Amino acid sequence: MDRYSVVGKSLPRIDGILKATGSAKYTIDVELPGMLYGKILRSPYAHAKILKIDTSKAEELPGVKAVVTGNDTKGIRFAFVDTPRYPADGRPLVEDKVRYVTEGVAAVAAVSEDVAEEALSLIEVKYEELPAVFDPEEAMKPGAPKIHEEIAPTGRSFWEEWGVPRSAEVQKVENNICSTASISFGDVEKGFEESDYVREDKFKTNVTDHCAMEPHGVVASFDPTGKLDIWLGHMGFAMKQYWLSRTLGIPASKVRVHRIHIGGAFGGKINLFDYEFLAAFLSRKTGRPVKIVLTREEVFASTRVRHPQVIYLKTGVKKDGTLSAVHTKVIDDTGAYRGTGPVVCYLDHAFSLPIYKTPNLKYEAYAVYTNNTIRAPMRGHGAPQIRFAVESQLDMIAEELGLDPVEVRLKNVRKKGDVLPNGDRLNSCGLTECIQKATKESNFRKKRGKKAGNRGIGMAVSAMFSGAQFYPFGTAAAVRVNEDGTATVFTGAVEFGQGSDTALAQIAAEELGMTLEDVEIISGDSELCPIDIGNWLSGGIHVSGKAVQLAAADAKRQLLEVAAEILGAKVENLQAGNRRIYVKGNHRKGIPISNAIKMSILKRNGKQITGVGHCKAHEPDVNWYPSLTTGRGRFTSAYSFSAVVAEVEVDPETGRMKLLNVVTAHDCGFPINPLLVEGQAEGQGVMGQGQALFEELITSESGEIVNPTFLDYRVPRSFDIPKFKTIHIETDDPRGPFGGKEVGEGVIGAVPAAIANAVYDAVGIRVKELPITSEKIIRVKVDNCK
Amino acid sequence: MEPRRTLLDVIRNDLRLTGTKEGCGTGDCGVCTVILDGKPVNSCLVLALEAKGKDVLTIEGLAKENKLHPLQETFIKCGAIQCGFCTPGMILTAKAFLDENPNPTEEDVKEAISGNLCRCTGYVKIIEAILTAAEELRKGEWHG
């Protein structure tokens, strides 16, 4: 018999009907009476002083209600990273100088988009161009154009507000270095000396875009009491609310982030954006709602993209493939403002730590300012980059030593119970099973090295966190039992396509003995829902799901107490199931939940039943996110693992390639909804395929993105996709709800590397630079012949 | 009617039928697909005046008397929907395609929806949903 009746089932998502009928409303669909439309004038230069801005003609245009420039927003700062060491450096509009093409110079609110557009053309800006730099290694050299002067804090960060001592000084920007990470365990030099084989390689990764199908947009409306109502795409309302509050100088309680459907996120809608602040700012100035929807070109060129990295990797192993020492050096191009440079530089390391036992490890990373657009999280945030390097090199090492790449991985992987150098403990770990199952299911050993028909097969593995201690540092949920025997869940987790609402409703239904149809979910609204770390830290199931489970359990306890009185039974002898509370082992001796709730209200002075639950993203004794600079501190309470096997066919003459098969074995603890988990694995598989094979935003010599359209930026289409097989490895994490862990971003980490290894297996060509285009395959082939 | 206005603009902003989405405005993503006289079109590339006297089907008109079209049913059941933003356009493209080709292969389906981008699903379950709906439709029980 099944352990559970609702979780673990592939139930259809609860928002399916709304979405299939076009009834689901997204930010772009929001219209308010008297609404104005905003547009932003963006810089055509990558690095330039602003000498003069004249907005007078624009202001005179009929229908224009407000024009603002950097003079109006002077001193306002926001950013993804805002710590004592790395203060916020982003600004809504350029003040003194432009640092990337498309940086906002002025903004307009007008009665229509057309009028706003026309107003932009009437704004006169005088620029003085400055030398710009787009390559991070060039930017680090002495004499390179200086992008930032001193960056001073503009207020106390939430870290300080919440009690993190100010132990660090503000890091000075020298040689355009935005941040550094320096982490070591063991003695790496000694480790190399003791190695039988040492190899060094250089890898490079590409700039890619999230390409959420809904373009970024916002509707902001200030009311006369000074309260802001706002509709926008987000991945956790707390971050938007915090930064809107701080930049607008109003209490967070005066910012209401409304629940709205979100058309995809993939890491690209976490932090506050220029246009979101500006819509609110213009609304306050005009007293009318303001809507800004970015064009697709603006989404590509002005929002956020994945960090491109240069990775120098030196690895020493014993003859049998046992890792002895690893020295990693990452040069990260973080763009014109800090973005998440300091974070990704930590994450490259942190997402690697739970995978292979490495007795001697040295990791150094530099996030470097360039005149490129700002880089930020994108699904896997560092994992696809670092896995591409590590997993490619591990295959090269295995080949050099005549070892089986699967065996080399199995020999080095961590196991359940391992304690990582940062103190995190692997309370569940299915990495070995992932590798074994993916190998078996894909027929890896039979196909590997055969080069039959220019086909090749390759493997890579990945790991991901399941939430971390970041603002707002805690997550809560509430579950109200309704008089008709149903329940309403209130959670700050947010649905942006991944299936959060459905999975959380399943968790509540299981705990309460209800069906999925019995559970209504109110999520992602800052005024109706409890605080939550949000879903951008991959804690949607493990953390938010845990809070929902605890809240449902609390409601159930109260129902059992009422039922115990009525039935003359002991609470501990009762259970919930089939919409009833009944005596264990005697289903007939019980009452419907709808009766229990009514009895509670009538017999207990109107006592309604609302259960509450709360938890942190880590164990109770862990308060803060680890140090981005030293890597010290615990990171997450549960890691997910995956092994991906890719099979490709490559034409050695043209380099033309077809991805044929992808097998993913994924340890997400316990799949709350296997259908949704498969959807996440497949979506990551195809997004990873794009990352591996053809996606790349290309920057011109003057810093302009030359392919900001779906025609020129090649997103995988239906005819590109391989056959998929997804295998669930259940490891039942002891802390997760019903054993659940991260689902939505670990797998993509392994995909580009698995494809790179498959390409090598097919035609013996090792491409160390993403994307692996036909052109690069031929170029490497020609180089190899020289 | 201003001649420069697109069919998409009129559907969304005059008729307030917001089930038709806009993803790029340049005809590259298929999110704004509607069916014009039986053919799927990117409504962002069609001038509103071109639709004069023609039959326009948007996602709002697909279900009949609160009964979902088989494609809507299978998209939900097969897990073909995630964020849902591409869903209306994807379903309408599939509908026009199945009307023409009721017995397609997997490759036919892939070709038919190649103009519709989806960033969430990797298309796997969308293709499955369309093939499953084709089977349902062949039974002849749907009278839309």
Side-chain angles (χ1 to χ4, degrees):
Chain A
M1 201 182 118
D2 282 0
R3 272 195 292 174
Y4 305 118
S5 53
V6 189
V7 298
K9 310 283 181 210
S10 290
L11 301 174
R13 52 187 305 140
I14 59 177
D15 53 6
I17 292 177
L18 289 180
K19 288 175 173 174
T21 54
S23 313
K25 295 280 180 283
Y26 298 75
T27 299
I28 68 155
D29 303 325
V30 175
E31 293 280 329
L32 298 175
M35 193 168 82
L36 302 174
Y37 298 83
K39 286 270 173 197
I40 297 166
L41 181 68
R42 299 187 177 277
S43 166
Y45 300 108
H47 202 192
K49 268 192 207 159
I50 301 262
L51 300 179
K52 197 181 157 206
I53 305 181
D54 184 353
T55 60
S56 54
K57 282 185 197 150
E59 281 162 40
E60 284 161 18
L61 183 72
V64 171
K65 300 297 174 188
V67 183
V68 293
T69 69
N71 276 335
D72 302 287
T73 59
K74 218 176 195 78
I76 292 172
R77 296 289 180 270
F78 57 88
F80 194 109
V81 175
D82 180 44
T83 67
R85 191 189 302 273
Y86 306 124
D89 63 356
R91 52 209 76 195
L93 291 169
V94 171
E95 290 165 14
D96 45 2
K97 71 166 182 174
V98 170
R99 293 180 173 84
Y100 65 97
V101 175
T102 74
E103 188 167 6
V105 175
V108 171
V111 292
S112 73
E113 279 199 314
D114 288 346
V115 174
E117 193 94 50
E118 196 183 340
L120 293 189
S121 69
L122 298 174
I123 298 172
E124 289 164 13
V125 188
K126 255 195 183 162
Y127 298 94
E128 180 190 312
E129 261 196 276
L130 299 168
V133 61
F134 305 106
D135 180 304
E137 292 186 285
E138 290 299 317
M140 289 168 84
K141 287 180 184 163
K146 192 173 165 64
I147 298 169
H148 284 275
E149 303 299 322
E150 195 183 331
I151 296 168
T154 52
R156 275 156 63 91
S157 67
F158 51 65
W159 300 103
E160 293 159 284
E161 292 290 346
W162 279 71
V164 175
R166 173 175 273 279
S167 55
E169 289 300 310
V170 175
Q171 179 155 317
K172 281 215 169 87
V173 184
E174 282 167 2
N175 300 322
N176 289 315
I177 292 171
C178 158
S179 74
T180 53
S182 177
I183 299 166
S184 72
F185 303 112
D187 182 340
V188 77
E189 288 312 320
K190 192 162 152 271
F192 285 124
E193 276 167 30
E194 290 168 4
S195 298
D196 296 317
Y197 176 71
V198 177
R199 113 162 251 139
E200 290 182 62
D201 294 282
K202 178 185 176 181
F203 298 90
K204 267 181 100 168
T205 68
N206 41 346
V207 185
T208 52
D209 189 277
H210 311 80
C211 297
M213 294 316 297
E214 183 186 20
H216 292 53
V218 59
V219 176
S221 178
F222 263 100
D223 74 17
T225 70
K227 187 183 167 196
L228 172 67
D229 285 283
I230 195 159
W231 292 257
L232 43 68
H234 65 91
M235 300 179 71
F237 59 73
M239 287 288 275
K240 298 284 188 192
Q241 193 184 26
Y242 171 85
W243 280 110
L244 284 164
S245 142
R246 203 166 132 191
T247 52
L248 293 162
I250 58 175
S253 59
K254 291 278 186 192
V255 178
R256 178 175 179 187
V257 177
H258 282 256
R259 184 190 195 193
I260 189 87
H261 288 282
I262 294 164
F266 315 114
K269 294 176 177 172
I270 301 170
N271 195 236
L272 188 68
F273 286 97
D274 53 3
Y275 67 89
E276 292 167 341
F277 167 84
L278 288 167
F281 192 71
L282 288 165
S283 172
R284 185 161 64 182
K285 197 173 163 71
T286 58
R288 292 168 67 167
V290 174
K291 181 176 191 171
I292 299 179
V293 176
L294 302 190
T295 64
R296 182 55 64 178
E297 190 175 336
E298 276 180 299
V299 173
F300 270 115
S302 81
T303 61
R304 300 290 181 268
V305 294
R306 189 188 286 286
H307 288 260
Q309 297 184 329
V310 182
I311 300 169
Y312 295 90
L313 190 61
K314 180 179 176 185
T315 301
V317 296
K318 300 282 192 191
K319 264 192 220 117
D320 66 353
T322 308
L323 287 169
S324 173
V326 177
H327 180 186
T328 313
K329 184 179 167 189
V330 176
I331 311 292
D332 179 89
D333 167 7
T334 200
Y337 292 92
R338 215 183 294 279
T340 53
V343 184
V344 77
C345 282
Y346 166 70
L347 293 178
D348 273 25
H349 160 75
F351 293 153
S352 299
L353 210 52
I355 297 178
Y356 299 124
K357 287 178 294 232
T358 311
N360 304 292
L361 175 157
K362 186 175 174 190
Y363 174 85
E364 47 181 325
Y366 305 87
V368 184
Y369 286 121
T370 61
N371 291 109
N372 293 313
T373 53
I374 305 168
R375 285 69 161 98
M378 178 168 158
R379 212 174 202 177
H381 204 191
Q385 294 97 314
I386 194 72
R387 293 325 313 150
F388 171 61
V390 173
E391 301 289 318
S392 294
Q393 195 188 51
L394 205 56
D395 261 34
M396 292 187 250
I397 290 170
E399 190 188 30
E400 288 287 329
L401 297 179
L403 300 170
D404 174 57
V406 175
E407 286 308 319
V408 169
R409 285 179 173 81
L410 288 172
K411 196 182 285 293
N412 287 291
V413 290
R414 292 190 178 276
K415 306 254 164 37
K416 180 182 170 181
D418 277 9
V419 177
L420 309 187
N422 71 340
D424 279 351
R425 187 187 172 84
L426 303 184
N427 294 318
S428 62
C429 174
L431 187 48
T432 297
E433 296 87 330
C434 285
I435 294 172
Q436 287 167 338
K437 287 268 169 64
T439 306
K440 189 159 176 258
E441 190 65 39
S442 63
N443 235 336
F444 187 89
R445 288 206 166 87
K446 204 171 158 220
K447 289 178 174 173
R448 175 87 178 175
K450 295 294 185 291
K451 314 252 185 311
N454 298 315
R455 286 190 178 193
I457 193 163
M459 169 185 279
V461 302
S462 178
M464 192 45 55
F465 68 157
S466 309
Q469 274 300 96
F470 200 92
Y471 181 83
F473 305 112
T475 292
V479 173
R480 187 184 72 197
V481 181
N482 303 313
E483 63 169 83
D484 57 359
T486 63
T488 306
V489 174
F490 299 85
T491 168
V494 54
E495 172 68 60
F496 40 75
Q498 81 282 45
S500 170
D501 279 359
T502 303
L504 297 185
Q506 282 180 270
I507 288 170
E510 180 71 44
E511 194 66 39
L512 287 162
M514 295 178 183
T515 67
L516 182 58
E517 295 73 35
D518 296 335
V519 177
E520 184 66 37
I521 190 151
I522 308 294
S523 63
D525 186 304
S526 70
E527 207 157 273
L528 303 179
C529 304
I531 63 160
D532 198 290
I533 59 162
N535 297 61
W536 59 275
L537 294 150
S538 270
I541 289 295
H542 191 72
V543 183
S544 307
K546 183 72 184 178
V548 168
Q549 187 188 24
L550 292 169
D554 185 35
K556 181 172 75 177
R557 178 188 55 77
Q558 299 175 55
L559 284 168
L560 296 189
E561 283 168 8
V562 178
E565 251 177 60
I566 297 165
L567 296 168
K570 285 186 174 162
V571 168
E572 56 270 29
N573 293 335
L574 295 178
Q575 71 178 72
N578 297 322
R579 299 168 164 165
R580 288 163 62 82
I581 309 294
Y582 58 93
V583 176
K584 284 176 191 165
N586 183 2
H587 185 257
R588 278 194 290 181
K589 191 174 178 195
I591 53 166
I593 290 172
S594 56
N595 281 8
I597 177 67
K598 289 189 191 99
M599 285 304 161
S600 175
I601 291 168
L602 291 175
K603 305 263 181 191
R604 296 179 159 193
N605 192 27
K607 185 185 187 316
Q608 302 185 24
I609 291 181
T610 297
V612 292
H614 59 87
C615 62
K616 279 198 203 169
H618 211 309
E619 271 119 60
D621 60 324
V622 180
N623 268 342
W624 314 121
Y625 202 89
S627 160
L628 300 177
T629 305
T630 65
R632 281 196 208 100
R634 287 164 73 190
F635 181 37
T636 186
S637 87
Y639 292 89
S640 290
F641 298 93
S642 52
V644 172
V645 173
E647 201 180 347
V648 301
E649 187 168 44
V650 187
D651 181 334
E653 298 304 317
T654 63
R656 195 178 161 81
M657 178 175 0
K658 176 88 186 150
L659 180 60
L660 303 171
N661 291 299
V662 170
V663 175
T664 299
H666 184 216
D667 159 24
C668 68
F670 174 76
I672 301 293
N673 184 321
L675 184 71
L676 292 176
V677 173
E678 273 172 33
Q680 288 299 304
E682 290 159 2
Q684 291 179 82
V686 173
M687 197 181 263
Q689 176 188 9
Q691 183 85 29
L693 300 181
F694 32 74
E695 287 183 39
E696 186 168 36
L697 279 173
I698 297 163
T699 305
S700 73
E701 277 175 19
S702 54
E704 196 180 355
I705 287 172
V706 300
N707 56 339
T709 69
F710 283 133
L711 195 62
D712 298 313
Y713 179 90
R714 175 83 160 81
V715 171
R717 290 181 182 263
S718 51
F719 50 71
D720 291 311
I721 66 163
K723 288 221 174 303
F724 275 98
K725 169 89 189 170
T726 303
I727 305 159
H728 307 289
I729 306 291
E730 293 186 20
T731 56
D732 282 349
D733 187 80
R735 195 167 181 269
F738 304 103
K741 303 189 280 190
E742 176 276 336
V743 172
E745 62 170 341
V747 170
I748 195 175
V751 178
I755 292 174
N757 288 339
V759 168
Y760 182 80
D761 187 51
V763 286
I765 291 168
R766 175 64 64 184
V767 180
K768 298 184 196 173
E769 202 174 301
L770 293 177
I772 305 167
T773 56
S774 307
E775 187 193 343
K776 278 183 199 154
I777 289 176
I778 297 302
R779 206 189 305 147
V780 173
K781 190 182 167 191
V782 169
D783 287 348
N784 288 351
C785 292
K786 279 177 190 167
Chain B
M1 176 79 65
E2 277 182 81
R4 69 187 185 101
R5 294 189 67 198
T6 64
L7 180 58
L8 173 64
D9 178 16
V10 171
I11 289 171
R12 282 184 58 80
N13 297 317
D14 291 8
L15 304 176
R16 291 298 294 146
L17 293 171
T18 56
T20 307
K21 304 301 181 194
E22 177 167 7
C24 70
T26 50
D28 299 321
C29 75
V31 155
C32 66
T33 303
V34 300
I35 299 179
L36 187 64
D37 272 355
K39 300 276 179 221
V41 294
N42 287 318
S43 61
C44 72
L45 293 187
V46 176
L47 291 173
L49 288 174
E50 290 179 77
K52 197 177 169 189
K54 291 185 180 166
D55 189 22
V56 181
L57 179 67
T58 69
I59 192 69
E60 287 89 349
L62 190 57
K64 295 291 172 206
E65 287 161 13
N66 288 329
K67 182 155 170 43
L68 297 181
H69 185 277
L71 274 163
Q72 292 171 312
E73 294 277 7
T74 58
F75 265 62
I76 296 167
K77 204 180 71 193
C78 298
I81 301 171
Q82 286 190 30
C83 86
F85 201 77
C86 76
T87 306
M90 195 68 87
I91 287 179
L92 290 175
T93 299
K95 194 232 179 242
F97 166 66
L98 292 183
D99 286 348
E100 293 280 313
N101 183 352
N103 202 355
T105 64
E106 191 177 323
E107 289 308 307
D108 294 338
V109 173
K110 283 185 180 177
E111 197 187 318
I113 60 167
S114 61
N116 292 69
L117 287 179
C118 169
R119 192 59 156 170
C120 295
T121 64
Y123 307 100
V124 184
K125 298 198 184 311
I126 290 176
I127 294 163
E128 189 190 321
I130 295 170
L131 288 168
T132 311
E135 252 173 67
E136 287 298 314
L137 285 163
R138 285 198 297 271
K139 290 180 191 162
E141 285 156 22
W142 169 260
H143 302 288

